[in-house]
Amino acid sequence: MINLFRNYTPLNIFWLAVLLFALRIGYLVQVPEKLEFLFVEPFARLLVPVQYEYAFSPALNVVLAAVLVFAQALLINSLINHHNLLGKPTFLPALMYVTLSGLFTPFLTLSAPLICNFLLIWMLFKLINLYKSDDAKSTVYDLGLIVAVGSLIYFPFIYLFLSIWIALIIFRAFYWREWLIAVLGYATVFFFLAVIYYLNDMLPRFTGIWLPLGKKFPDHISITSYTYLLLIPVIIILVLCFFKLQQNFFKSYIQTRKTFQLLFFIFLITALSFYLNPEFRLSHFLLCTIPAAVFFAYYFLYASRRWFYETLYLLLFISIIYFQFNKF
């Protein structure tokens, strides 16, 4: 399986669609009677004045989510190959994203984090381009706008604003106007939201939007034992990837090294921002799947023992399908 996707051939698009369906068949055969889809945060509900939470049937909800994942996988693959981050063209980033986006059943339905992954991919296109940009002010302003729009959809996305400043540190010399313009880009969207609040006589409630930022980081989270079991192969692959990256780090191009540093920080930011949710949802960690997919692809592209890496991926693939059939 891994060797097939190591090659950059159009036929892999077909096999990617097959695997996408295979990773969702267990959930489709026992899909719940109702699936809620929350597209925006409660404080931005004024922007969507219609009832949409149950607009799609459960089966259609899962199918639409799969279509979005497929589109995102191709975009990620295009991004990685365009910037030659792995050193050679391959379909492994798409394969890894499709696999990781099927890891848990909450990942298989329409959700705000899934929508925000389009914004994160868009951000990555712009963030990586900062490396060779002569004047980054317009790009940084756009990035602030994107983070603000993502915050309206899913509030923990606000922490990805830090990735803009981190990218400026990694890719560029310090220029205070670029740092300030990012703030202006973010503030632009919320200025217009404040105007909408004012026109609806709700301006005193506007400051309540930021209250979750003062929440205490939780001491523990409650997840099921099957979640821990699925994370075992994921953690093993991540550890192997970081060892492989360490071995080849200084052999890579400067832009590649800096981009992997940025992806690592994005992975940490998306993983640790879950606590802003009013209630813990596994779907939050869909935001982690984009940087994780790139790390996974790097390991599987440069792993040398075929029997080991093929077995490791097969174990992950089978575990995902098995727990889908045995979760309910």
Side-chain angles (χ1 to χ4, degrees), residues 229-276:
L229 291 173
L230 272 176
L231 286 176
I232 292 174
V234 172
I235 293 172
I236 291 173
I237 296 171
L238 276 176
V239 171
L240 291 172
C241 166
F242 290 136
F243 274 115
K244 186 66 69 174
L245 274 170
Q246 185 183 29
Q247 292 173 4
N248 301 330
F249 188 73
F250 292 105
K251 300 177 185 178
S252 306
Y253 292 109
I254 294 175
Q255 182 180 7
T256 301
R257 297 203 300 263
K258 289 178 177 291
T259 302
F260 272 102
Q261 291 172 16
L262 175 63
L263 287 170
F264 176 73
F265 281 112
I266 289 176
F267 180 79
L268 290 181
I269 291 169
T270 52
L272 296 176
S273 59
F274 71 90
Y275 78 99
L276 291 184

Side-chain angles (χ1 to χ4, degrees), residues 83-94:
H83 290 284
N84 196 30
L85 294 183
L86 300 182
K88 61 181 77 171
T90 175
F91 255 96
L92 283 176

Side-chain angles (χ1 to χ4, degrees), residues 104-301:
F104 304 115
T105 51
F107 287 9
L108 305 179
T109 60
L110 290 173
S111 63
L114 179 61
I115 303 300
C116 283
N117 270 355
F118 279 111
L119 298 177
L120 180 52
I121 295 169
W122 190 11
M123 285 184 66
L124 285 173
F125 272 102
K126 289 182 173 293
L127 287 169
I128 297 173
N129 284 331
L130 287 175
Y131 179 71
K132 295 181 179 180
S133 178
D134 295 327
D135 187 1
K137 291 192 287 292
S138 61
T139 300
V140 171
Y141 183 80
D142 291 344
L143 286 165
L145 290 174
I146 294 170
V147 174
V149 171
S151 303
L152 299 180
I153 298 172
Y154 186 62
F155 190 63
F157 199 81
I158 189 175
Y159 274 121
L160 279 166
F161 186 88
L162 296 175
S163 69
I164 304 175
W165 285 347
I166 291 171
L168 290 173
I169 294 172
I170 293 174
F171 290 136
R172 302 180 63 80
F174 178 75
Y175 187 43
W176 67 269
R177 286 185 175 85
E178 292 176 351
W179 288 58
L180 179 59
I181 286 172
V183 178
L184 293 177
Y186 188 92
T188 299
V189 172
F190 277 85
F191 169 77
F192 287 109
L193 182 64
V195 171
I196 294 173
Y197 267 64
Y198 173 76
L199 294 176
N200 286 271
D201 295 324
M202 298 171 59
L203 193 57
R205 294 169 55 183
F206 184 74
T207 55
I209 293 174
W210 319 106
L211 291 179
L213 293 174
K215 284 179 61 176
K216 181 182 177 182
F217 196 83
D219 297 326
H220 68 280
I221 56 174
S222 178
I223 58 177
T224 62
S225 57
Y226 108 98
T227 303
Y228 286 114
L229 291 173
L230 272 176
L231 286 176
I232 292 174
V234 172
I235 293 172
I236 291 173
I237 296 171
L238 276 176
V239 171
L240 291 172
C241 166
F242 290 136
F243 274 115
K244 186 66 69 174
L245 274 170
Q246 185 183 29
Q247 292 173 4
N248 301 330
F249 188 73
F250 292 105
K251 300 177 185 178
S252 306
Y253 292 109
I254 294 175
Q255 182 180 7
T256 301
R257 297 203 300 263
K258 289 178 177 291
T259 302
F260 272 102
Q261 291 172 16
L262 175 63
L263 287 170
F264 176 73
F265 281 112
I266 289 176
F267 180 79
L268 290 181
I269 291 169
T270 52
L272 296 176
S273 59
F274 71 90
Y275 78 99
L276 291 184
N277 271 334
E279 58 183 81
F280 175 72
R281 293 178 184 267
L282 269 177
S283 60
H284 167 85
F285 296 101
L286 266 169
L287 294 172
C288 301
T289 56
I290 293 176
V294 182
F295 294 139
F296 274 42
Y298 187 91
Y299 167 70
F300 282 112
L301 185 62

Side-chain angles (χ1 to χ4, degrees), residues 63-77:
V63 170
L64 288 175
V67 171
L68 295 184
V69 166
F70 188 74
Q72 290 169 354
L74 296 180
L75 287 171
I76 294 167
N77 208 73

